[in-house]
Amino acid sequence: MSSKLQALNDWVDQVANHTRASRVHWCDGSGDENRKLIEAMLESGDLEQLNPETHPDCYLHRSDPADVARVEHLTYVCTEREDDAGPNNNWMAPAEAHALMNGLFAGCMEDRTLYVVPYCMGPIESPFSRCGVEITDSPYVVANMRLMTRMGSDALARIERDGRFVKGLHSTGDLDPDRRYIVHFPEELSIQSFGSGYGGNALLGKKCHALRIASYQARTEGWLAEHMLIVGIQNPAGEIRYVAGAFPSACGKTNLAMLIPPEAYREGGWKVWTVGDDICWLHPGEDGRLWAINPEAGFFGVAPGTSAKTNPNALAMLDRETIFTNVAVTEDNRPWWEGLGEGKPAKDWRGRAFDPKHGPAAHPNSRFTVSIKRCPSYSDQADNPDGVPIDAIVFGGRRASLAPLVLEAHDWTHGVLVGAGMASETTAAATGQVGIVRRDPMAMKPFCGYHFADYWAHWLDVGGKLTRPPKIFQVNWFRRDAGGKFIWPGFGDNMRVLEWIMARCRDEADATDTAVGKLPDAGAINLEGLEERPDMEELLRIDPAEWRAEIEAIGKHLESFGSRVPSQLHETLGRIREAIG
Ligand code: GTP
Ligand code: SPV
Ligand code: MN
């Protein structure tokens, strides 16, 4: 097979020659093709079958133990001018990066099949969707891309119609961490990834295309590519309003995206619909509102902590047609992870007999891959080519102290400052130390394909085009008490905060103005049905001394991006500094 697009055929030929691939397979995305791939992976040991009685069509992949997370220190944005990549990215000159990658890819697919994977990010018929083709030598990547994107013949047909696509080249190489690079050429609309099979490094449609390349394109085209979930919140009157939320990796997007409201809310008629859990493309509409699509078609979710109590919707879809990566297994070969709340591990994520002295049974960044259509709260609007209109944007992070449960920005510019100043404790989603507070503007630190200062200017520009901009909020589910316990119950109970946010969007709830934003009045958050009343005073406390230090730190952080930082952000910060005294 080949395509009707000469440029695509030429590129595939050229890569096949350079990598000396032994076979070329064009993926059509069919069930039959998938079954054959799975069979081959079961034979090669890439996959293990899980218990077919309890988990039909579920498989376990154990990755190389040194290839379990994104590698931010080996991820590069290669623009002609270093300044365009910004201090937020590692940079390499394009010529140097091409020379390096050409060397690594030379002959790397000898004895391997080269898969051509056409994919579409977003509904096939949406004008907002963008296509790409990933060339990979990993059948695991093909099977995951089939769940995560609209992959195969339909995507190829659209690519042939459009005549343009993002070129992604991937090889697992020999998995040597010293020969591992994830490089992006935004000016060429291309990506090259070598030496890793892990999600964000290898499923190129996801972070590499839909965030790094897309954010760069979005800037020139007047839209935003964001690390955000999208949910629809249906109130007792039956109206559905949409919220987009940016939280850093492993900080709660998937959980918020498929939240089940507490019983009292459900009985009252509240319901939450899932549109997306990780990536959101936002377009200013002709009506002056911001419209969102989820470019993905599946979830690549964090397994640990997922239970019938914390996330019943996730658990309900993980018992069939799911690929698990680096989880543990029980004696009867069911998937298991810390926080699952039932069963016990027999083998750990590396396949060894479980022994607590080796650490957790499941890797802390173990994941599940599953189609979004399997989600019980899947929204029928997720396939709408026009997207959904956004009423509120929520920025969140893991902060043990300082950040209150919820805070409303004074206006769009203040909201952009709130996003730009975001900080969060690091997690296992990327290699490196866990639990360190770092600035992660808009949860895009690892994913923005250009200079952060230009990115914030672009946010302000987009806001300027909106006559009905979403309100912007900051939330923190992770504040801890003196004993280190989370004060807020989180998960389904986050609905209580969403209710206040939705009421604010309809101008129906009061708020107290403070220097750092608008806070709910005492008693404004509905606590009905909670077994234990959380310490709301502590959750909503603004400590002026702590905040003064934070404002200084945000000022330094903005300054580190130099003179390109929009002056409005410095001015807004200055006003807050004065107001807090
Ligand atoms: P990425 O897929 O890496 O982008 O992560 P994510 O933002 O989708 O995070 P996810 O929802 O998978 O949550 C990550 C971890 O945080 C899991 O272990 C969850 O159980 C936990 N978590 C999510 N929401 C809450 C919450 O409201 N409170 C608490 N305490 N933990 C939460
Ligand atoms: C994240 O790390 O933010 C993820 C997983 O969503 S990955 O696909 O690896 O980026
Ligand atoms: Mn993510």
Side-chain angles (χ1 to χ4, degrees):
M1 200 183 118
S2 64
S3 88
K4 293 184 200 131
L5 195 63
Q6 198 53 43
L8 175 54
N9 296 335
D10 291 347
W11 176 56
V12 171
D13 283 348
Q14 178 242 314
V15 172
N17 286 330
H18 182 64
T19 57
R20 295 200 286 278
S22 62
R23 285 195 315 130
V24 173
H25 176 93
W26 289 70
C27 296
D28 61 16
S30 65
D32 195 39
E33 175 183 81
N34 187 54
R35 267 188 297 282
K36 286 183 184 139
L37 273 173
I38 300 274
E39 258 162 48
M41 284 190 276
L42 288 170
E43 201 144 297
S44 68
D46 267 348
L47 291 184
E48 259 181 36
Q49 177 115 39
L50 290 164
N51 188 327
E53 312 251 295
T54 58
H55 290 75
D57 300 313
C58 288
Y59 305 94
L60 167 62
H61 173 73
R62 290 196 187 99
S63 76
D64 185 282
D67 185 30
V68 294
R70 284 182 295 97
V71 283
E72 295 178 6
H73 60 297
L74 303 174
T75 300
Y76 289 81
V77 169
C78 305
T79 42
E80 280 299 336
R81 293 170 30 175
E82 180 167 6
D83 230 17
D84 289 342
N88 43 304
N89 281 302
N90 300 313
W91 177 84
M92 216 188 293
E96 187 191 337
H98 276 301
L100 171 75
M101 299 310 281
N102 283 342
L104 292 170
F105 276 103
C108 75
M109 295 189 195
E110 245 170 319
D111 305 323
R112 295 187 189 180
T113 300
L114 177 160
Y115 299 94
V116 182
V117 184
Y119 63 86
C120 179
M121 301 310 291
I124 297 269
E125 297 307 330
S126 172
F128 305 134
S129 299
R130 293 286 186 277
C131 294
V133 177
E134 175 166 359
I135 291 180
T136 179
D137 57 9
S138 161
Y140 167 81
V141 164
V142 177
N144 276 272
M145 283 290 283
R146 179 169 179 271
L147 293 168
M148 294 304 299
T149 71
R150 289 143 175 106
M151 184 275 260
S153 313
D154 292 350
L156 183 59
R158 172 155 175 172
I159 290 167
E160 290 169 343
R161 242 179 13 246
D162 289 357
R164 58 181 182 149
F165 60 95
V166 169
K167 288 180 186 160
L169 173 54
H170 169 256
S171 169
T172 49
D174 51 12
L175 297 175
D176 176 355
D178 290 330
R179 286 158 44 83
R180 180 175 295 162
Y181 291 94
I182 324 297
V183 304
H184 305 73
F185 303 95
E187 290 145 346
E188 300 169 20
L189 300 185
S190 80
I191 305 155
Q192 297 196 4
S193 165
F194 189 89
S196 168
Y198 171 76
N201 302 328
L203 311 177
L204 301 187
K206 196 170 174 54
K207 297 308 186 0
C208 299
H209 178 167
L211 287 179
R212 298 196 191 93
I213 299 289
S215 62
Y216 182 96
Q217 272 185 306
R219 181 189 172 209
T220 59
E221 297 173 2
W223 50 284
L224 292 163
E226 297 300 324
H227 191 200
M228 290 179 177
L229 69 112
I230 310 164
V231 275
I233 298 170
Q234 183 172 331
N235 68 16
E239 297 164 345
I240 305 179
R241 306 278 184 137
Y242 295 89
V243 176
F247 298 67
S249 302
C251 290
K253 288 181 301 300
T254 301
N255 278 269
L256 194 62
M258 49 191 81
L259 175 154
I260 296 184
E263 201 181 331
Y265 280 81
R266 291 200 306 274
E267 283 169 0
W270 292 87
K271 166 114 186 81
V272 170
W273 299 100
T274 308
V275 180
D277 83 320
D278 197 52
I279 302 181
C280 165
W281 288 354
L282 292 162
H283 290 259
E286 277 166 18
D287 59 356
R289 304 179 78 183
L290 204 49
W291 289 75
I293 64 161
N294 170 15
E296 301 192 279
F299 305 118
F300 182 61
V302 176
T306 308
S307 74
K309 221 172 133 202
T310 58
N311 192 348
N313 272 333
L315 220 61
M317 56 181 173
L318 299 183
D319 62 358
R320 59 188 64 218
E321 293 163 41
T322 304
I323 300 174
F324 293 90
T325 300
N326 293 336
V327 298
V329 289
T330 60
E331 200 57 62
D332 61 348
N333 221 22
R334 284 175 295 130
W336 192 93
W337 49 81
E338 276 70 18
L340 175 61
E342 57 179 47
K344 52 179 205 260
K347 281 189 208 159
D348 73 7
W349 64 279
R350 298 180 63 169
R352 300 173 298 201
F354 172 60
D355 183 341
K357 84 167 189 279
H358 289 141
H363 189 276
N365 191 38
S366 53
R367 300 248 167 190
F368 54 79
T369 320
V370 65
S371 163
I372 189 171
K373 295 213 164 121
R374 288 205 33 82
C375 183
S377 54
Y378 176 67
S379 161
D380 63 2
Q381 293 304 301
D383 267 319
N384 188 331
D386 299 327
V388 294
I390 298 296
D391 275 10
I393 289 176
V394 176
F395 290 125
R398 278 178 195 267
R399 295 297 297 262
S401 60
L402 183 98
L405 181 61
V406 60
L407 185 78
E408 181 188 325
H410 290 121
D411 53 29
W412 183 268
T413 304
H414 181 216
V416 173
L417 177 66
V418 167
M422 262 171 77
S424 190
E425 293 154 25
T426 52
T427 66
T431 54
Q433 226 177 325
V434 168
I436 308 285
V437 175
R438 73 158 180 183
R439 296 285 153 198
D440 190 350
M442 280 85 169
M444 285 286 278
K445 166 71 187 72
F447 308 120
C448 183
Y450 62 104
H451 197 302
F452 257 151
D454 298 340
Y455 170 73
W456 298 325
H458 182 51
W459 261 82
L460 294 176
D461 274 354
V462 169
K465 289 188 203 140
L466 304 172
T467 51
R468 294 163 70 192
K471 282 185 186 261
I472 299 180
F473 298 81
Q474 178 189 312
V475 299
N476 179 21
W477 317 140
F478 298 95
R479 197 138 158 172
R480 293 177 192 257
D481 64 17
K485 253 189 68 200
F486 293 122
I487 307 174
W488 179 247
F491 301 104
D493 289 309
N494 294 332
M495 180 66 221
R496 303 172 187 280
V497 177
L498 291 176
E499 184 191 13
W500 183 76
I501 289 174
M502 298 327 288
R504 288 293 302 163
C505 291
R506 292 191 313 270
D507 293 321
E508 282 172 15
D510 290 333
T512 301
D513 237 328
T514 77
V516 297
K518 298 176 193 175
L519 284 168
D521 293 325
I525 306 282
N526 179 357
L527 302 177
E528 189 194 334
L530 271 182
E531 271 167 34
E532 228 177 290
R533 185 187 182 277
D535 184 348
M536 294 308 290
E537 291 67 30
E538 176 58 20
L539 282 169
L540 294 170
R541 189 169 62 87
I542 300 291
D543 181 310
E546 261 187 307
W547 270 93
R548 259 181 237 117
E550 177 75 357
I551 285 157
E552 289 323 301
I554 292 173
K556 289 213 172 70
H557 157 69
L558 292 183
E559 274 163 28
S560 73
F561 292 93
S563 59
R564 288 158 88 146
V565 175
S567 58
Q568 296 100 300
L569 296 189
H570 287 297
E571 286 154 20
T572 306
L573 190 70
R575 276 197 292 279
I576 295 172
R577 187 185 285 118
E578 253 169 55
I580 208 160

